[in-house]
Structure formats: structure tokens, C-alpha cells
Amino acid sequence: MPRVKRGVTAHARHKKVMDQAKGYYGARRKVFRVAKQAVIKAGQYSYRDRRQKKRDFRSLWITRINAAARENGLSYSRVINGLKRAEIEIDRKVLADLAVHDKAAFKALAEKAQASLA
């Protein structure tokens, strides 16, 4: 059975990891062992934060809707409840965008929400 030399495979594997570690500081960029750990940890953070980003944005949208709702004399929960009762299906992302960029449209929606609560 012929002898297997693994230098090419090992070099390719190391190069892949070192390329992923580009831009890291110090040994995290230069030393394979440390770079591999850093790349694995970075992958864990990015996996976690892709999910966290969705929560963070939803939270931001709710904060913006609540602020605009209170300018119109309602709370966030009453606006959402009012819109549901009025059968107006509009998601929080669009609602928050209206609250920031088109205050007149948001005010109209808030009034409809308030009317459906009465």
C-alpha cells in the first residue's frame, strides 16, 4: 500500500481557515490553532446574532410605534388591538416606518384604531 502524503490537504484546510480569519488582531490572524478557534467562535456569534437581529428589530419597531402612538393619545397595545379589531392587517415594520416618515398616515391609522375600540 503506498504511503499517503497529506501536505496538500492540510495546507488547503489551513489556508481556508486563515482566509476566514483575515482582519483579526494578532495571533488570531497569524497562528492556525488560535485562528481556528477564533473562526469557530465567530461562526457561533454570527449564528446566534442572525436570530437576535430579528428580535432587536422587532423591539425597535415596537418602541417607535409606541412613541408615535403616545403622541396620538394611545398606548402601543391599544393601537395594535384597535388595528386588529378594525381588521387592518399591517405589520410592525411598516407601521414603524409610517410612524417615523409619514406621521399623517400613522395618525389616520391611530384614529381608526381608536374608533374600533370604542
Side-chain angles (χ1 to χ4, degrees):
M1 197 159 142
R3 172 171 162 234
V4 177
K5 296 178 73 180
R6 295 174 32 215
V8 175
T9 319
H11 186 262
R13 196 164 43 87
H14 282 214
K15 188 177 185 316
K16 189 173 124 184
V17 171
M18 296 308 275
D19 284 345
Q20 288 177 310
K22 247 189 183 68
Y24 292 2
Y25 182 83
R28 296 168 71 101
R29 179 178 73 238
K30 293 177 177 142
V31 180
F32 173 73
R33 272 192 192 186
V34 183
K36 186 177 177 190
Q37 290 175 354
V39 165
I40 288 170
K41 192 66 171 177
Q44 290 171 340
Y45 284 139
S46 65
Y47 179 87
R48 179 197 69 191
D49 291 339
R50 278 195 297 273
R51 279 134 193 88
Q52 197 117 37
K53 182 167 67 170
K54 293 164 183 62
R55 294 177 222 153
D56 289 346
F57 269 103
R58 185 182 168 96
S59 171
L60 175 68
W61 298 331
I62 289 171
T63 304
R64 286 177 174 176
I65 294 166
N66 190 26
R70 289 184 187 280
E71 285 177 3
N72 291 298
L74 287 165
S75 68
Y76 165 79
S77 59
R78 289 180 60 78
V79 167
I80 295 296
N81 188 19
L83 291 175
K84 277 200 171 65
R85 286 192 182 178
E87 295 177 3
I88 299 170
E89 287 186 25
I90 184 167
D91 64 1
R92 286 163 180 80
K93 181 179 178 180
V94 174
L95 208 52
D97 192 58
L98 287 175
V100 173
H101 296 107
D102 191 358
K103 293 195 185 297
F106 186 86
K107 185 175 177 129
L109 284 171
E111 286 167 359
K112 284 184 182 176
Q114 195 159 26
S116 69
L117 288 170

